[in-house]
Amino acid sequence: AGLLGLGLARRGAPISRMTLTDGQPAVVENLMHNVGATQALGGLPTAVGIEHLEWSAPDLKSPFVADIDAIVGSDLVYDPNTLPALACLLRQMLQPHGSAACAIMALARRSEETVHSFSMALIQADLDWQVLNFSCSDWAIALEYAQLAHDHV
């Protein structure tokens, strides 16, 4: 859990703070373990926090939500039933309602139905969005960042 966030945190500047979240308590515990293990292997140049975040009932007054520059999410779009709550949360956290300037969501195309459900949830939440397609060289760079989340012997 937390591969993308840990990879970004290991990158360091310009990222100065990273908060990893999940709505499942067991995953939050796993995030704590993974952050601790990563720090034990050589530290992180970026401060990393871990928070429990329920999409359907978020605590938007929580200090970690107050000053977000950007939202980066990965592997969040898998259950069509949860996507309206995710879209509403994004709307609340993005400008002009919140402080985040943008959200980047990395998702696996498990089914076209799920992708369509996510698109519809974003439209219903009145959010502008676009699909970004990446070249093979872009994917190679992304893989390099993903490998930063792991220490290789």
Side-chain angles (χ1 to χ4, degrees):
L3 175 67
L4 178 60
L6 285 172
L8 290 170
R10 295 264 326 248
R11 181 185 187 280
I15 299 166
S16 62
R17 180 176 52 104
M18 173 72 60
T19 303
L20 307 176
T21 67
D22 202 277
Q24 300 296 320
V27 177
V28 172
E29 285 183 35
N30 192 21
L31 287 170
M32 286 187 228
H33 169 79
N34 291 347
V35 169
T38 302
Q39 288 172 327
L41 293 170
L44 291 166
T46 301
V48 178
I50 300 145
E51 297 286 341
H52 180 261
L53 178 64
E54 286 287 341
W55 296 347
S56 59
D59 178 8
L60 295 178
K61 296 192 186 326
S62 175
F64 91 90
V65 177
D67 191 25
I68 296 173
D69 295 326
I71 299 165
V72 179
S74 77
D75 203 27
L76 304 177
V77 180
Y78 52 87
D79 180 357
N81 296 322
T82 65
L83 300 178
L86 173 59
C88 286
L89 176 63
L90 290 171
R91 184 168 177 7
Q92 291 174 312
M93 295 176 86
L94 288 163
Q95 296 172 358
H97 306 286
S99 61
C102 67
I104 300 171
M105 311 300 288
L107 59 104
R109 286 184 171 264
R110 290 182 171 87
S111 75
E112 289 306 313
E113 177 190 350
T114 304
V115 173
H116 177 73
S117 295
F118 186 48
S119 300
M120 294 309 298
L122 294 173
I123 290 168
Q124 289 172 353
D126 198 28
L127 292 171
D128 294 327
W129 59 275
Q130 63 180 322
V131 174
L132 302 176
N133 294 304
F134 297 101
S135 67
C136 290
S137 62
D138 289 335
W139 281 114
I141 292 168
L143 180 58
E144 289 176 20
Y145 281 113
Q147 291 171 343
L148 287 173
H150 299 283
D151 281 310
H152 300 281
V153 182

